[in-house]
Amino acid sequence: MAFKISNPNVSFGEIGDVNLFRELSESCGIDPDGNFGFSGQEMIAICKAIPELDNLYHDAEPKLENLNFYKTLVDEKFGIEATGEAVMLPSGNWDINLSYTRIKSNLDFVYTFGAELLHVLYNCDMDYNSWKNRPVVDRFREEYSVHSS
């Protein structure tokens, strides 16, 4: 699943290329280096300004339960501090968790939120038990697929 770029002024690239997100944000009038304020209005404004992010959000929205913010976010499988994570709930819906301390700029938010939405879409057909019990190697494969599509 690729993060599709519809703006003709932005070259196609991998999701792992942060410069692509910088160019995409700038082309949509978002200052990538501006401080991200974690307000609902700011998030909506950024999502609506960047069609690619808005499309991802609308595709994932039926499966989303909550968007949560934490001062520190630790990935439960890898035990390392994370910037964001998508977590399947027993209901089959998803929470997206973001870190206050790791997301500083608009670019951090665009990149992280886009990647977490892709995780939801990548795994949306999986049931909770399959998601929770998948081997670490499968999780690495998924991370690679999301960040290199």
Side-chain angles (χ1 to χ4, degrees), residues 13-70:
E14 296 180 349
I15 192 169
D17 182 0
V18 175
N19 289 323
L20 174 68
F21 287 88
R22 175 175 293 286
E23 292 172 19
L24 183 60
S25 297
E26 288 171 345
S27 72
C28 294
I30 304 294
D31 175 8
D33 297 317
N35 290 330
F36 182 70
F38 289 96
S39 74
Q41 290 176 338
E42 185 175 19
M43 290 174 52
I44 290 168
I46 288 174
C47 285
K48 287 190 180 292
I50 301 174
E52 291 80 6
L53 191 59
D54 196 41
N55 290 338
L56 279 177
Y57 175 75
H58 285 294
D59 289 348
E61 184 178 29
K63 298 296 282 179
L64 296 178
E65 190 80 25
N66 297 300
L67 179 60
N68 304 302
F69 299 100
Y70 296 94

